[in-house]
């Protein structure tokens, strides 16, 4: 059974203070607002003698537990810690004064005092027997410093949730955004509707196994109280109107069709959502929210509002009647009306609503706070309309993404308050999101850490104190803390970077493996598609030539210890790599695939469509023309395309390979339905498909075009929504000379 984060037990003895050179930089994360160093250090090896202001006496026992001193029984002079109330300070602000005669923590509230104790605990863990004397003054930049934990796609135990709360508190975060309802599982006990957990909390996986679970009201109350003691607010998310298949599986009458359905085991966006035309659906949701509000005292309730296809509403007589009766223009305005009804209900009960940035569509409900995830524009639009915003764009804040997409440095570079909004007071803060489609409980910490450490400083510390090399140095000490807290952290970044450019041969790539972290070693082999190893023993920091399509597979080691599975770089050495290109489509900001040169740069896409090598468009055709260095005998051309229908990624309807000697007269024609009739046939696969065409002629220009197949088909859960096309590289193989 998992346990909440164990309190690290240590003891402090006040020894002699000896003059030393002042410690100008603390190794704290997040970095405090200011540190004024003294000229002494205090030897520590005994126990805490904590004196608490009268107003906070009831907290003393827990605060001693938090520091860890109660678990040791040692004789000796204890270091004196005084916690004083200073009403003139901000709610979360604190000050710590470390002197030879003891330590004083000042704050206006228990919240601020707790931050001061947390700072003291962090310093002691890496003090090596001596605390630096000096003065810390500190306060957070943003009030909302959150982590979303998705316990729906994969259920997580109450003990794990408590451990997550401990780690949030240790990093001075303030919010656990608890995602409790979803298509793949309903996780909160509701007395009025028992089938939500009896049926909606469980699903049958593709292999026939069962997955699920839910939190009883007693467990939720216990977790909320546990968080409150650590000054973490728990904001529940009850998804509506979309992402509601689990509820519809329990009570089919909540949907537009009334048809029975199972809790899905696959991911994606589903067209069956709550029916907005039924008063009974609204009554159901209000009853659910009544019980949610009894359990969660938080000021905010998150209602989701994202990814709600309108196809059912557009076909539903009850929804169409609602549109007419409320004098609405379309289904988008119906969603705004629906969410507005929920928002007004929450407001009448003294609560505020948060929703994902889709709630902007059709008009923003009064008093709503927007959580901007599709970039920063949702936050900007909300502020322009006089609303608050929380920033959590996919570019910096989605920790389910691999480090290939979002590494530690990118997270640290996040700025929640973009130009034009600084000082508006409308940006409440930011949030990192841990969606769990591909991260069951045992993988979550390796996804969240160490990236949350960087986010904690982004949201707490003044921008002027955020210096990447300085943060890197402090991270070295912080890893000691993470080890003591037994955090199963992952990589900061891809541990081995690949540098590549056009090779000396016209059909080759010049590659170089460069360690991206200290202590990293390894050797690589280039394995051609088909299994033949064409280059082996590729070492670090030396340049190597590769030709053809395949994977550079690197066996990694860290400080001499093998790190298991090899790191793979899909590559293609060919005559088109790094030659001038012209695109026939606009680059999408979400999937730019390394920009203008991305479809002719020698990098192939992997099985992960978010790896940065795939270039994609939504609802558009795609095309690329490459001008070769000279007239070249072309053997063949190829292109890879991605398929993942649950994510609206479909194979192209038709494609065209073309080649030309003069750039005017082109050979080659359209290849209709290159994958047969499978383009729009339902398929659960998430895979890469390769298209290749023999040429056998000389050419100077080559071209590839792919036609978008059109909107998602009727059977799809996002029917009528625009589909995505994903391409990786136009590979041009020349004939051997």
């Amino acid at each position: 059974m998992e346990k909440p984060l164990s309190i690290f037990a240590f003891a402090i003895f006040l020894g002699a203070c000896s003059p030393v050179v002042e410690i100008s930089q603390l190794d704290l994360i997040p970095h405090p607002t200011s540190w004024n160093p003294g000229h002494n250090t205090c030897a520590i090896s005994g126990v805490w003698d904590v004196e608490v202001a009268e107003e906070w006496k009831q907290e003393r026992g827990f605060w001693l537990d938090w520091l860890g001193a109660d678990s040791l029984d040692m004789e000796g002079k204890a270091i004196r810690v005084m916690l004083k109330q200073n009403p003139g300070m901000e709610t979360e602000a604190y000050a710590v004064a470390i002197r030879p005669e003891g330590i004083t923590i000042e704050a206006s509230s228990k919240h601020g005092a707790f931050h001061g104790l947390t700072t003291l605990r962090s310093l002691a863990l890496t003090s090596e027997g001596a605390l630096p004397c000096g003065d810390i003054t500190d306060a957070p930049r943003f009030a909302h410093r959150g982590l979303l934990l998705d316990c729906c796609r994969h259920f997580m135990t109450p003990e794990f949730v408590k451990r997550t709360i401990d780690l949030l508190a240790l990093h001075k975060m303030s919010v656990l955004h608890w995602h409790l309802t979803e298509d793949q599982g309903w996780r909160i006990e509701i007395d009025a509707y028992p089938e939500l957990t009896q049926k909606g909390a469980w699903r049958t996986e593709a292999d026939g196994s069962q997955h699920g679970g839910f939190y009883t009201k007693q467990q939720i109350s216990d977790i909320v109280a546990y968080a409150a003691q650590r000054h973490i607010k728990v904001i529940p998310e009850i998804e509506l109107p979309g992402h509601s298949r689990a509820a519809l599986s329990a009570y089919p009458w909540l949907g537009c069709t009334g048809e029975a359905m199972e809790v899905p085991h696959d991911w994606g966006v589903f067209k069956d959502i709550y029916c907005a035309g039924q008063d009974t659906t609204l009554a159901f949701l209000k009853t659910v929210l009544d019980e949610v509000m009894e359990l969660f005292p938080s000021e905010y309730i998150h209602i989701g509002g994202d990814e709600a296809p309108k196809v059912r509403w557009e076909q539903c007589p009850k929804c169409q009647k609602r549109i007419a009766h409320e004098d609405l223009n379309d289904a988008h305005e119906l969603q705004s009306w629906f969410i507005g009804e929920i928002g007004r209900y929450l407001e009448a009960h003294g609560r505020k609503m948060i929703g994902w940035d889709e709630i902007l569509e059709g008009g923003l409900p009064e008093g709503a706070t927007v959580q901007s995830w599709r970039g920063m524009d949702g936050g900007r639009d909300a502020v322009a309309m006089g609303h608050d915003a929380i920033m959590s764009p996919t570019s910096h804040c989605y920790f389910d993404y691999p480090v290939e997409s979002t590494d530690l440095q990118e997270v640290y570079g996040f700025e929640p308050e973009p130009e034009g909004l600084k000082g508006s007071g409308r940006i409440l803060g930011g949030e990192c999101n841990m969606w769990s489609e591909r991260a069951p409980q045992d993988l979550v910490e390796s996804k969240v850490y160490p990236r949350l450490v960087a986010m904690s400083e982004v949201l707490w510390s003044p921008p002027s104190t955020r210096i990447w090399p300085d943060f890197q140095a402090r991270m070295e000490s912080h890893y000691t803390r993470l080890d003591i807290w037994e955090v199963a952290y992952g990589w900061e970044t891809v541990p081995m970077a690949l540098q590549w450019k056009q090779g000396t041969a016209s059909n080759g790539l010049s590659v170089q493996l460069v360690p991206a972290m200290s202590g990293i070693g390894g050797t690589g082999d280039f394995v051609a598609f088909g299994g033949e190893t064409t280059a082996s023993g590729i070492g670090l920091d030396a340049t190597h030539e590769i030709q053809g399509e395949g994977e550079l597979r690197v066996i990694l080691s860290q400080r001499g210890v093998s790190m298991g599975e090899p790191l793979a770089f899909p590559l293609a050495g060919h005559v088109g790599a790094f030659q001038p290109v012209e695109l026939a489509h606009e680059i999408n900001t979400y999937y730019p695939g390394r920009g203008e040169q991305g479809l002719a740069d020698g990098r192939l896409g992997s099985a992960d469509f978010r790896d940065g090598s795939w270039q994609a468009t939504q609802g558009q055709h795609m095309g690329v023309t490459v001008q070769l260095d000279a007239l070249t005998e072309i053997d063949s051309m190829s292109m890879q395309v991605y398929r993942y229908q649950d994510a609206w990624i479909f194979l192209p309807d038709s494609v065209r390979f073309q080649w030309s000697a003069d750039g005017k007269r082109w050979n080659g024609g359209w290849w209709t339905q290159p994958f047969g009739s499978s383009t729009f046939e339902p398929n659960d696969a998430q895979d890469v498909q390769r298209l290749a065409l023999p040429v056998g002629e000389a050419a100077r220009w080559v071209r590839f075009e792919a036609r978008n197949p059109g909107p998602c088909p009727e059977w799809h859960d996002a029917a009528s929504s625009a589909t995505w096309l994903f391409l990786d590289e136009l590979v041009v193989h020349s004939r051997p000379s």
Side-chain angles (χ1 to χ4, degrees):
M1 177 181 290
E2 301 85 359
K3 296 181 179 179
L5 184 66
S6 59
I7 303 297
F8 176 67
F10 56 90
I12 306 289
F13 172 75
L14 179 60
C17 290
S18 55
V20 294
V21 177
E22 68 181 38
I23 298 176
S24 60
Q25 177 66 56
L26 292 177
D27 66 2
L28 282 173
I29 298 177
H31 195 285
T33 304
S34 71
W35 160 244
N36 183 25
H39 296 279
N40 294 307
T41 61
C42 294
I44 51 177
S45 60
V47 295
W48 300 106
D49 176 16
V50 178
E51 183 178 330
V52 179
E54 186 64 33
E55 297 84 355
W56 302 334
K57 287 288 187 183
Q58 62 184 12
E59 300 294 325
R60 186 176 184 276
F62 170 66
W63 285 352
L64 281 171
D65 286 345
W66 187 249
L67 286 173
D70 62 335
S71 61
L72 291 181
D73 183 15
M74 296 179 62
E75 295 182 1
K77 186 176 180 181
I79 188 167
R80 187 182 184 194
V81 180
M82 296 185 63
L83 288 104
K84 295 182 176 181
Q85 189 173 38
N86 182 343
M89 301 177 74
E90 297 177 5
T91 301
E92 290 194 70
Y94 69 93
V96 178
I98 304 173
R99 298 289 185 271
E101 61 273 14
I103 297 169
T104 301
I105 297 175
E106 291 190 18
S108 67
S109 69
K110 292 184 290 185
H111 199 167
F114 181 75
H115 287 323
L117 289 166
T118 300
T119 288
L120 188 56
R121 178 177 173 182
S122 293
L123 282 175
L125 285 179
T126 56
S127 65
E128 297 184 353
L131 289 176
C133 291
D135 296 295
I136 298 170
T137 57
D138 204 7
R141 181 185 177 194
F142 295 106
H144 190 107
R145 308 180 301 280
L147 168 72
L148 176 145
L149 187 64
D150 171 14
C151 294
C152 297
R153 274 55 175 258
H154 283 97
F155 180 72
M156 299 174 200
T157 64
E159 292 80 8
F160 182 81
V161 177
K162 288 182 177 181
R163 173 177 170 80
T164 298
I165 289 166
D166 276 330
L167 289 170
L168 289 177
L170 286 165
H171 291 91
K172 298 189 177 76
M173 300 290 274
S174 63
V175 172
L176 175 67
H177 172 173
W178 200 3
H179 192 71
L180 288 169
T181 72
E182 187 49 78
D183 292 310
Q184 292 81 12
W186 183 283
R187 304 295 180 218
I188 176 172
E189 182 180 33
I190 301 295
D191 292 335
Y193 297 102
E195 288 292 309
L196 288 172
T197 47
Q198 291 175 13
K199 179 175 174 57
W202 309 92
R203 66 175 184 258
T204 302
E205 303 286 32
D207 62 2
S209 63
Q210 293 287 307
H211 179 86
F214 65 93
Y215 305 100
T216 67
K217 287 192 168 183
Q218 180 57 51
Q219 288 172 328
I220 290 172
S221 296
D222 183 44
I223 288 169
V224 169
Y226 189 91
Q229 197 169 37
R230 290 151 181 80
H231 299 279
I232 300 295
K233 300 173 185 175
V234 182
I235 297 178
E237 181 174 356
I238 308 299
E239 277 270 20
L240 59 95
H243 289 290
S244 49
R245 273 281 298 271
L248 270 59
S249 74
Y251 297 101
W253 53 265
L254 292 169
C256 291
T257 68
E259 296 175 358
M261 59 190 70
E262 296 300 314
V263 178
H265 65 263
D266 50 347
W267 321 124
V269 177
F270 299 89
K271 62 186 175 185
D272 286 293
I273 65 177
Y274 290 124
C275 179
Q278 296 182 146
D279 291 339
T280 50
T281 301
L282 284 167
F284 163 85
L285 288 169
K286 290 174 181 178
T287 299
V288 167
L289 289 171
D290 285 341
E291 296 195 31
V292 169
M293 288 186 284
E294 289 175 2
L295 291 169
F296 294 92
S298 56
E299 178 184 8
Y300 293 96
I301 304 292
H302 204 300
I303 56 82
D306 61 312
E307 297 178 328
K310 309 301 188 293
V311 60
R312 291 298 193 205
W313 288 1
E314 290 166 350
Q315 299 169 352
C316 174
K318 290 170 286 189
C319 289
Q320 291 303 307
K321 182 178 179 181
R322 179 82 75 187
I323 289 173
H325 183 265
E326 299 295 337
D327 196 25
L328 306 173
N329 289 318
D330 54 27
H332 291 287
E333 290 192 6
L334 179 59
Q335 173 163 328
S336 180
W337 175 88
F338 187 82
I339 290 174
E341 283 290 300
I342 298 299
R344 285 185 287 275
Y345 188 77
L346 292 174
E347 186 179 19
H349 288 75
R351 306 300 181 94
K352 297 179 181 178
M353 182 179 76
I354 302 174
W356 300 105
D357 57 41
E358 283 94 333
I359 67 173
L360 287 159
E361 299 167 7
L364 191 59
E366 186 69 28
T369 294
V370 172
Q371 185 162 358
S372 187
W373 71 280
R374 297 177 299 177
M376 306 288 275
D377 287 345
R380 289 190 180 94
D381 292 345
V383 172
M385 298 168 68
H387 290 253
D388 293 338
I390 298 163
M391 296 300 200
S392 58
T394 57
S395 57
H396 296 81
C397 302
Y398 270 49
F399 289 179
D400 56 314
Y401 286 14
V403 292
E404 289 89 341
S405 299
T406 309
D407 65 9
L408 188 71
Q409 185 172 6
E410 189 157 16
V411 174
Y412 194 71
F414 176 48
E415 175 45 56
E417 202 170 41
E419 289 298 326
L421 298 184
K422 294 185 185 299
S424 68
R426 289 292 191 178
I427 304 300
L428 302 182
E431 197 168 283
C432 39
N433 299 336
M434 185 57 239
W435 301 106
S436 65
E437 288 97 326
R438 292 165 187 82
Q441 178 177 298
D442 61 345
L443 293 181
V444 167
E445 281 190 2
S446 68
K447 293 276 193 179
V448 173
Y449 294 93
R451 290 184 286 188
L452 182 136
V453 182
M455 185 62 74
S456 74
E457 183 150 306
V458 167
L459 298 175
W460 178 280
S461 304
S464 60
T465 67
R466 280 167 42 203
I467 302 169
W468 171 245
D470 168 61
F471 176 78
Q472 285 181 296
R474 286 181 286 121
M475 270 303 303
E476 290 302 310
S477 295
H478 198 72
Y479 279 120
T480 299
R481 300 184 185 107
L482 296 180
D483 288 337
I484 291 170
W485 297 331
E486 299 180 345
V487 178
Y489 51 84
W491 297 108
E492 290 183 7
T493 187
V494 178
M496 188 74 70
L498 179 72
Q499 296 178 355
W500 75 102
K501 59 184 179 181
Q502 187 175 5
T504 55
S506 62
N507 63 342
L509 283 181
S510 176
V511 300
Q512 183 178 355
L513 291 169
V514 180
M517 298 168 56
S518 62
I520 295 294
T523 58
D525 298 332
F526 186 70
V527 181
F529 292 155
E532 181 185 359
T533 300
T534 60
S536 60
I538 297 174
L540 307 186
D541 295 322
T543 300
H544 299 267
E545 291 277 325
I546 62 108
Q547 296 178 0
E549 296 175 77
E551 283 187 339
L552 178 55
R553 299 175 184 173
V554 185
I555 303 296
L556 291 173
S557 63
Q558 186 171 30
R559 297 179 177 88
V561 179
S562 175
M563 301 305 292
E565 288 295 316
L567 188 65
F569 298 97
L571 297 167
H574 63 99
V575 294
F578 293 103
Q579 300 304 312
V581 302
E582 181 180 346
L583 299 181
H585 58 271
E586 293 183 5
I587 292 176
N588 185 280
T589 55
Y590 295 114
Y591 301 102
R594 281 189 292 276
E596 191 81 16
Q597 193 67 45
L599 295 179
D601 69 351
R603 283 297 297 269
L604 300 176
S606 71
D608 183 354
F609 67 90
R610 300 170 300 183
D611 66 5
S613 293
W614 290 96
Q615 194 165 115
T617 63
Q618 186 177 24
Q620 295 183 38
H621 306 313
M622 298 181 72
V624 58
T625 301
V626 179
Q627 181 181 343
L628 304 180
D629 187 52
L631 190 67
T632 304
E633 290 290 331
I634 306 299
D635 179 72
S636 64
M637 293 191 288
S638 65
M639 173 68 78
Q640 292 187 143
V641 295
Y642 204 92
R643 174 174 57 183
Y644 184 21
Q645 293 177 351
D646 285 347
W648 311 3
I649 304 172
F650 280 80
L651 300 172
D653 174 73
S654 54
V655 300
R656 178 163 64 175
F657 288 99
Q658 287 188 294
W659 57 96
S660 171
D662 59 8
K664 298 177 182 178
R665 294 181 296 273
W666 292 85
N667 296 318
W670 284 103
W671 186 357
T672 304
Q673 290 190 323
F675 302 99
S677 59
S678 64
T679 298
F680 266 161
E681 288 182 353
N683 194 305
D684 290 335
Q686 182 178 354
D687 59 10
V688 177
Q689 297 286 320
R690 185 174 184 270
L691 293 161
L693 183 72
V695 176
E697 295 182 18
R700 178 78 188 278
W701 285 266
V702 292
R703 176 183 293 163
F704 177 82
E705 296 173 275
R707 284 179 174 166
N708 184 285
C712 293
E714 180 61 30
W715 57 261
H716 195 275
D717 282 296
S720 78
S721 298
T723 57
W724 287 86
L725 275 182
F726 275 70
L727 308 178
D728 69 344
E729 179 89 358
L730 176 53
V731 178
V732 186
H733 290 295
S734 59
R735 284 182 170 179
S737 55

